[in-house]
Amino acid sequence: MGQKILAYLEERVRIRALMSFLLDEPIPGGSRWAYIPGSMVLFVLILQFVTGMMLAFYYGGTPDHAWDSVNYIDHLTYRGFPVGRLIRGIHFWGSSIMVIAVGLHLLQVFLWGAYKRPREIMWLIGTVLFALTMIAAFSGYLLPWDERAYWGTIVGTNMIGLVPVVGEILKAAIRGGVGLGALTLSHFFTIHTMILPTLFILFVILHMVIFRRVGPAGPFSGSPEQNEATKDTFYPRQVLMDSFGMLGVFILILVLALFRPPGLESVANPSNAAYSPTPAWYFDWIFQLLKMVRPEIVGVVGLPVLIGIVLVFLPFIDKKPVRSPFRRPISVLSTLFILGAMLILSLMAEHGYKKLVDVDRASMQRGQVVFNHSGCLGCHAVFGKGGKIGPDLSEEGLVGHPLSWLEVQFVNSKANFPDSIMPNFTFLTKQQQHDLAMYLSSLGRMGWPDPTKAQP
Amino acid sequence: MREEVTYRVGIPVMDLRGETLGRMEKVLFSASLHHVTGIVVRSLESLRIIDLDRVNSVTASEIRTSLTESDWHASPIFDPSQYEEVPPWFFPPGYRIEMGALMTIKPLDVRLGGEAGALSRRAFMGRSVGIVAAAIGLTLLVPIGGYIMAAATTPVTDTWRDLGVKLLDLPVDEPVQKAFRAVAVSGWMRVPEERSVWLIRHTGESDRWSRSADQTKNIDSPLERRNSDPRLTVLSPICPHLGCAPQWHNGQKLFICPCHHSVYELNGKRVSGPAPRPMDQLPVRIGPDGSISVIYEQFAIGIAAKVRLA
Ligand code: FES
């Protein structure tokens, strides 16, 4: 059967020759694990395409539906298995892993000196793909239309506005107006799901075509004869290494998606001025620079632009044929130094963020009972129900109060606010205080109603 | 001698006395003659073409020629600009390149080493790749299948809707179309919607119309069987043929569907036309005060069985 199909295709599309073209690419110096990052990027990109299409199945790209539809996806189950949460989790973590994979690929090509003549154009296409990856990550951030998405994009687009001369007009064009609204969301959705995928496909094809024209660079050491003698074809050894790499990446993404599902904060609330947005981790270093460097323009626009310029012009500045990283100490060390600096900046930024409480679901549910039975709703409102004397607690979980602060607040609120008129709920047991604090920390972050269950 | 030989580019090429002239670089293939005409040999100082006639034998490890030292120096220099480099797949269908009467070379295998062990290792690695790919594919496709089906299989919850009419206000044995407001659920959206049902009041068990055709044919589900009343028949407004809306014609005392003229009696029984089953009876409850509530079920159209849509 298989042979027959093969023979049929052989006669019509010359499948053997085609497969041979695809798989028998010679790799000078043989297959190596070091060559797998490029394939990893392609794999994660395909994963993003597939899961992204799935998400678009159920997504509603307007401010009055986006959040509801994402919440709906989060609650979709099939035979009790949370398929929606899984698909969204893969897409969410896939974007982070994609950024990492692109970074590793870039670093490997840099260290191997593989961007040098005759591979300058391939490198240029690669930097375009790198930029597309970052734009994809940024534009996807807004789509769930929750507090994090909204305020993160406010800050992100404001940074674009800092660019001299064209900044404001650029920002308005991207937002589709002065503020963030329905047009911003549809702009971002279109960029994320139509423009970027098209460009991705185009540039990946270009990247691959050029790759096949010039061939792999091979190891940076060893004579051409040696590399010729130890040469290997792409299939099967390198393909096997690549597939093991993909399996590893896939398992990593699955584990993250299952055990650290992306949350959904409460729906974007433009009047919540107290919200302090944090960027996705790969923009942490810019966030930190923003705090440290004055004027902001230097950190925000200057540095990324500088990095972009260096990336683009690298193969044209660095024309010496020597490829070994050990014989290019200055450029390699300065790159590692910059990477180290970015890492330190990111760690500083992470350290500076308010840690939101890690919510324990069982404790949270007990706390909800305590909350409903202790008279809290007499003064405080939650999701539109309750009194107006105390502050609205619907988004208390996003404020970032630690558990200890909350526990004190229940029994002795004057300790936190000297002018507080809140009565002291000293009758609460230690356990109840803890559960109540857990529940309050979850408000605005989770526990949304399940739209797949019909409401009366 | 016609056998396939696999060998590496780069194997040594010997002259008549067994001295190495250089290393095999390329195979020259004539597109018009459809066979290999020569090989290109790289020595330290030049690239030269050796005519195939001068090749005596080809093995996996060496090529022997009938060249002398001076023949070699007289061989033409290989000028790459005069030739077009083509990938292996360029060769014509069923390409087997005839090297004169000597042997057949499969250009595919030019790069492969000649070891027999390599082939089984290659097959093993190929299988491993297949297994890994299948594992990833299945792990991804199964949840995706579930994801696509999840919305389609979300169960509908039965809600009783009060129609806002009292039983005693209805005429006897004459259908009344009653509209009511319902909520259409699609994913995360709930949209208010206008729906309607046919209400047919009967005098009681003794009324010949009080048994619906669905009851007579016994195609009702337990839900409909549990919730029926001899004083009232509720019929769906949807034609079981292809979903149009049958209308009551008072002159003929018949329901007639405008689309393909399925005709039904007062109890929903099909009299003529293409419909595969009677008009669908819906579950109904009558309160002590005569209030009427129904569950608005929808059924698969075009089939004889009364199958509820999820
Ligand atoms: S739809 Fe009613 S007869 Fe065809």
Side-chain angles (χ1 to χ4, degrees):
Chain A
M1 182 66 187
Q3 285 304 318
K4 268 203 183 135
I5 295 175
L6 218 64
Y8 181 92
L9 290 177
E10 174 62 21
E11 189 186 339
R12 283 152 186 89
V13 292
R14 285 157 59 205
I15 186 91
R16 276 180 219 278
L18 187 65
M19 293 306 282
S20 158
F21 169 64
L22 293 175
L23 297 175
D24 291 342
E25 164 79 358
I27 302 174
S31 314
R32 300 209 177 172
W33 287 106
Y35 301 157
I36 69 170
S39 303
M40 299 304 99
V41 173
L42 186 61
F43 172 66
V44 183
L45 184 66
I46 292 171
L47 208 56
Q48 293 301 85
F49 270 55
V50 173
T51 50
M53 288 176 207
M54 284 301 110
L55 290 175
F57 245 57
Y58 295 137
Y59 179 73
T62 59
D64 43 358
H65 294 313
W67 188 92
D68 285 305
S69 61
V70 174
N71 185 41
Y72 174 75
I73 291 172
D74 266 353
H75 283 92
L76 263 186
T77 57
Y78 186 70
R79 293 167 190 254
F81 189 74
V83 278
R85 197 174 291 246
L86 178 70
I87 299 286
R88 180 164 169 240
I90 294 177
H91 198 72
F92 175 86
W93 285 110
S95 78
S96 280
I97 301 295
M98 171 111 178
V99 171
I100 295 177
V102 169
L104 283 179
H105 184 42
L106 205 67
L107 190 64
Q108 187 256 332
V109 170
F110 172 75
L111 289 180
W112 259 245
Y115 56 90
K116 298 194 174 207
R117 190 177 164 198
R119 296 184 179 77
E120 300 97 323
I121 306 299
M122 185 159 77
W123 168 268
L124 273 188
I125 305 283
T127 58
V128 172
L129 284 165
F130 174 59
L132 290 179
T133 306
M134 299 321 279
I135 298 173
F138 178 67
S139 58
Y141 204 66
L142 178 68
L143 302 185
W145 199 252
D146 61 355
E147 290 280 49
R148 176 173 48 189
Y150 181 88
W151 292 101
T153 306
I154 288 267
V155 174
T157 44
N158 275 338
M159 280 165 43
I160 298 172
L162 288 178
V163 176
V165 191
V166 291
E168 279 304 325
I169 198 84
L170 206 61
K171 174 173 117 183
I174 291 173
R175 285 186 176 182
V178 178
L180 223 63
L183 287 181
T184 321
L185 188 55
S186 55
H187 282 188
F188 274 54
F189 183 62
T190 310
I191 292 172
H192 192 77
T193 62
M194 294 178 203
I195 299 177
L196 287 176
T198 314
L199 293 179
F200 262 120
I201 293 171
L202 195 71
F203 280 93
V204 166
I205 289 176
L206 263 178
H207 203 60
M208 301 301 286
V209 166
I210 297 175
F211 175 64
R212 292 306 301 265
R213 301 301 295 173
V214 294
F220 49 73
S221 56
S223 66
E225 287 74 28
Q226 271 170 352
N227 291 338
E228 181 67 39
T230 52
K231 154 166 103 175
D232 196 0
T233 50
F234 176 57
Y235 180 86
R237 201 182 308 266
Q238 187 68 53
V239 174
L240 186 62
M241 288 176 178
D242 285 356
S243 60
F244 277 131
M246 291 176 193
L247 187 65
V249 167
F250 185 59
I251 290 174
L252 175 68
I253 294 177
L254 272 190
V255 166
L256 286 167
L258 284 172
F259 297 105
R260 294 220 125 298
L264 183 65
E265 296 184 348
S266 54
V267 64
N269 174 5
S271 59
N272 180 4
Y275 189 83
S276 82
T278 54
W281 63 266
Y282 32 82
F283 294 126
D284 270 348
W285 62 280
I286 299 186
F287 183 90
Q288 188 64 19
L289 272 181
L290 199 65
K291 288 203 285 192
M292 290 166 51
V293 181
R294 288 288 173 276
E296 285 92 343
I297 179 83
V298 177
V300 173
V301 182
L303 209 73
V305 168
L306 190 70
I307 291 180
I309 290 177
V310 170
L311 284 181
V312 167
F313 287 99
L314 182 65
F316 306 102
I317 303 166
D318 179 14
K319 280 187 166 162
K320 281 192 231 99
V322 47
R323 283 181 48 205
S324 168
F326 303 108
R327 288 162 61 201
R328 306 181 280 138
I330 298 179
S331 59
V332 169
L333 284 180
S334 50
T335 303
L336 293 181
F337 173 77
I338 291 174
L339 283 177
M342 283 165 77
L343 181 69
I344 291 173
L345 284 172
S346 302
L347 289 176
M348 284 165 71
E350 286 285 336
H351 184 73
Y353 298 152
K354 279 193 201 140
K355 289 276 167 303
L356 296 187
V357 174
D358 239 336
V359 175
D360 163 21
R361 289 196 170 260
S363 173
M364 165 192 112
Q365 275 152 7
R366 287 195 302 270
Q368 182 168 18
V369 177
V370 176
F371 185 83
N372 292 340
H373 290 89
S374 305
C376 308
L377 286 167
C379 300
H380 295 285
V382 168
F383 306 133
K385 269 189 254 159
K388 295 236 173 331
I389 300 164
D392 188 321
L393 296 179
S394 306
E395 296 184 24
E396 174 62 25
L398 299 175
V399 176
H401 288 138
L403 285 178
S404 53
W405 187 97
L406 287 164
E407 284 161 8
V408 168
Q409 177 68 19
F410 306 143
V411 292
N412 179 16
S413 70
K414 295 234 172 7
N416 290 334
F417 304 104
D419 298 332
S420 172
I421 53 162
M422 176 164 154
N424 293 336
F425 289 74
T426 40
F427 60 85
L428 293 174
T429 65
K430 272 266 172 279
Q431 181 63 40
Q432 283 175 323
Q433 290 170 24
H434 177 79
D435 294 345
L436 191 55
M438 240 351 149
Y439 172 64
L440 289 183
S441 304
S442 78
L443 288 175
R445 291 169 63 200
M446 57 188 76
W448 306 114
D450 182 351
T452 63
K453 299 262 180 314
Q455 275 114 44
Chain B
M1 184 169 73
R2 288 173 62 91
E3 62 182 29
E4 293 175 7
V5 175
T6 57
Y7 62 97
R8 278 176 192 276
V9 168
I11 58 173
V13 179
M14 317 289 198
D15 69 5
L16 197 57
R17 290 171 305 152
E19 303 267 327
T20 305
L21 292 171
R23 286 172 185 276
M24 154 98 174
E25 175 89 5
K26 289 178 196 306
V27 178
L28 288 186
F29 176 81
S30 158
S32 49
L33 296 177
H34 268 230
H35 66 73
V36 172
T37 55
I39 57 177
V40 178
V41 178
R42 176 188 286 279
S43 72
L44 277 180
E45 70 277 3
S46 62
L47 277 172
R48 287 178 191 274
I49 298 171
I50 297 179
D51 208 59
L52 199 66
D53 298 343
R54 310 300 301 267
V55 174
N56 286 343
S57 75
V58 179
T59 67
S61 55
E62 60 179 25
I63 296 177
R64 291 187 170 275
T65 64
S66 60
L67 257 57
T68 63
E69 178 88 47
S70 55
D71 288 340
W72 164 248
H73 287 297
S75 302
I77 297 280
F78 174 70
D79 175 3
S81 66
Q82 298 303 309
Y83 293 86
E84 194 181 0
E85 181 111 21
V86 293
W89 50 268
F90 177 81
F91 293 102
Y95 54 88
R96 291 286 168 100
I97 299 169
E98 297 284 328
M99 278 188 81
L102 261 180
M103 66 207 57
T104 320
I105 289 179
K106 288 169 74 184
L108 257 185
D109 295 337
V110 161
R111 292 195 212 98
L112 295 180
E115 330 147 50
L119 277 176
S120 66
R121 229 179 14 247
R122 190 176 151 92
F124 172 75
M125 286 194 263
R127 262 201 304 281
S128 311
V129 169
I131 291 171
V132 172
I136 295 178
L138 280 181
T139 322
L140 195 60
L141 286 181
V142 169
I144 283 181
Y147 179 83
I148 294 173
M149 291 315 294
T153 55
T154 302
V156 285
T157 34
D158 295 328
T159 35
W160 287 98
R161 305 234 159 242
D162 189 279
L163 297 185
V165 279
K166 295 273 170 358
L167 180 67
L168 294 179
D169 298 339
L170 296 171
V172 174
D173 289 338
E174 184 187 325
V176 172
Q177 188 160 31
K178 177 65 191 155
F180 62 98
R181 298 198 65 76
V183 178
V185 179
S186 173
W188 68 92
M189 275 265 276
R190 301 189 139 60
V191 184
E193 199 186 48
E194 180 112 319
R195 284 179 181 153
S196 74
V197 287
W198 288 103
L199 301 177
I200 306 137
R201 181 182 160 201
H202 316 294
T203 49
E205 302 261 14
S206 54
D207 191 327
R208 64 177 280 247
W209 296 114
S210 70
R211 267 181 82 74
S212 73
D214 280 0
Q215 285 169 330
T216 323
K217 294 186 84 175
N218 199 19
I219 55 174
D220 276 342
S221 73
L223 176 74
E224 292 135 21
R225 248 175 275 145
R226 252 185 287 118
N227 298 290
S228 67
D229 196 298
R231 290 172 291 167
L232 185 72
T233 303
V234 181
L235 294 181
S236 162
I238 299 173
C239 177
H241 177 227
L242 286 173
C244 288
Q247 297 299 316
W248 177 251
H249 291 253
N250 221 351
Q252 293 96 319
K253 299 277 180 223
L254 289 170
F255 286 105
I256 301 174
C257 180
C259 293
H260 317 95
H261 299 180
S262 282
V263 180
Y264 311 89
E265 287 182 337
L266 187 56
N267 61 359
K269 181 168 182 259
R270 187 187 69 93
V271 183
S272 65
R277 62 167 190 260
M279 283 173 76
D280 299 311
Q281 191 208 348
L282 300 180
V284 60
R285 272 180 191 168
I286 300 176
D289 57 344
S291 63
I292 299 168
S293 33
V294 300
I295 293 178
Y296 187 82
E297 294 179 294
Q298 280 171 284
F299 304 93
I301 51 170
I303 55 173
K306 194 176 171 188
V307 179
R308 187 165 176 191
L309 299 177

